[in-house]
Amino acid sequence: MSEGTMQRRAQRDLGAPPMPLRRRGSAQRAKRLHRVLAHAAAVPVMLVAVGCSSDSGSGSGSGDGGDKASGATASASASPSPTVRPAAYAELPEPCDVLSKKTLGELVPEGTKSGKEGQSDDTSTRGSCSWSSLENNGVKGSQFRWLNVSLLRFESDITRGEGDRQAQEFYQKQVQDAQSVSGAKNTKSEPVAEAGDEATLVRYDLKKKEGAFKQQTVVARVENVVLTLDYNGAGLAGDKTPDADDLAKAARKAVKEAVAAVVSANGDGGTASGSPSASQSASPSASQSASPSRAAAQKS
């Protein structure tokens, strides 16, 4: 058997088709070319991926800058917290101590020790005290006197405004109430000097079954405090009616003394009643407090 015949038989026995040497080299070159093309195709994919990653990073950076810019704008545009000027006076004197014994002896001679303090849910913002005097003159009758002092202090508040402005509004309301008492006759009003920032005396006559009463109401404001002094007198059981001018003079003197007591209770010059942020507490409402002048008319 020839050598070529034996080689072809061996190839058949191994199950492999005969392959010329030239074709084997071509197949190897084809495989190498395939690998090169595969690597070349992968390069654009990687570049695209890197490009996407770069775009995403730059977008994120611009987003951070936008957030910082918007935050700075919001911070710059935010308005400061609202504030209000603190009220000048933070304290009230004891209402039954605003008048000296000497003054009480002139206004209520038989009632200097009869002071009765009114009820208050907050003595730092409101208070009152009243005195009554009945001087018996035997068969001539008797002289009656009644005195009441009411104090109301207003706190500065963001929603209601400055304390002195609130006090000014309440002061005006008190004067109007005194000028419009039901049944009053011969009503007159006049300013009172040297009694706080502003003060008004309202005078009128009031006829009741007990006798003819002469009413004097003085409303005064000092900073953020409003003081109302009611003073009236009558001759009962046949005694003569007191002179209205004398009563008015005594009322003016008393209200000046009471105003001085308010100033003194706050260290003469007044003290700030808390910081603006602490002044959000509710202040006394004028509508919640009874009008002293109307109470005086009912008491007369």
Side-chain angles (χ1 to χ4, degrees):
M1 181 180 298
S2 64
E3 183 178 353
T5 303
M6 293 178 65
Q7 184 177 3
R8 286 192 295 272
R9 180 178 295 179
Q11 289 174 348
R12 285 195 300 270
D13 293 341
L14 293 173
M19 179 178 295
L21 294 175
R22 182 180 297 177
R23 295 188 60 183
R24 290 178 184 173
S26 300
Q28 291 176 355
R29 287 194 298 271
K31 289 181 179 180
R32 286 196 298 270
L33 179 60
H34 179 74
R35 287 196 296 269
V36 170
L37 292 176
H39 285 297
V43 170
V45 174
M46 292 174 65
L47 293 176
V48 171
V50 171
C52 293
S53 176
S54 175
D55 291 342
S56 175
S58 62
S60 175
S62 62
D64 290 344
D67 291 342
K68 291 178 181 179
S70 61
T73 303
S75 177
S77 61
S79 58
S81 301
T83 59
V84 62
R85 178 168 52 83
Y89 293 150
E91 303 291 339
L92 288 179
E94 290 293 331
C96 291
D97 294 337
V98 295
L99 300 177
S100 66
K101 291 183 178 181
K102 179 181 178 181
T103 300
L104 289 173
E106 295 172 356
L107 274 68
V108 283
E110 300 298 323
T112 57
K113 297 181 181 180
S114 66
K116 182 179 180 181
E117 186 171 350
Q119 294 183 349
S120 173
D121 54 355
D122 185 359
T123 56
S124 69
T125 58
R126 67 181 70 226
S128 65
C129 190
S130 61
W131 300 260
S132 60
S133 172
L134 184 63
E135 184 179 359
N136 191 344
N137 295 320
V139 295
K140 295 182 179 180
S142 58
Q143 287 289 320
F144 174 76
R145 300 289 186 273
W146 183 75
L147 172 66
N148 184 81
V149 177
S150 297
L151 304 167
L152 189 61
R153 185 180 66 84
F154 292 85
E155 280 279 11
S156 291
D157 184 87
I158 291 177
T159 57
R160 294 182 176 89
E162 297 172 349
D164 57 347
R165 181 65 61 85
Q166 297 178 63
Q168 187 177 39
E169 293 175 355
F170 184 68
Y171 163 81
Q172 294 171 351
K173 182 180 183 297
Q174 286 293 91
V175 173
Q176 293 173 359
D177 285 348
Q179 294 170 335
S180 59
V181 170
S182 178
K185 302 293 184 181
N186 304 318
T187 302
K188 299 177 182 179
S189 300
E190 58 188 69
V192 178
E194 300 178 357
D197 296 302
E198 51 189 337
T200 301
L201 168 64
V202 181
R203 306 167 53 174
Y204 56 84
D205 299 334
L206 195 64
K207 183 72 174 180
K208 299 178 74 71
K209 63 179 182 179
E210 295 88 352
F213 287 81
K214 299 291 184 178
Q215 174 70 35
Q216 318 292 317
T217 297
V218 187
V219 184
R221 179 185 71 84
V222 53
E223 294 288 354
N224 56 308
V225 176
V226 176
L227 187 152
T228 304
L229 184 145
D230 287 299
Y231 182 50
N232 62 50
L236 306 179
D239 205 343
K240 64 179 181 179
T241 302
D243 184 78
D245 290 337
D246 291 341
L247 296 179
K249 181 179 179 180
R252 290 192 195 94
K253 177 182 178 181
V255 77
K256 292 177 182 180
E257 191 172 312
V259 166
V262 173
V263 176
S264 178
N266 289 275
D268 294 335
T271 56
S273 56
S275 63
S277 61
S279 63
Q280 299 178 9
S281 58
S283 61
S285 172
S287 61
Q288 294 177 350
S289 59
S291 169
S293 59
R294 293 187 184 277
Q298 296 173 357
K299 196 75 176 180
S300 299

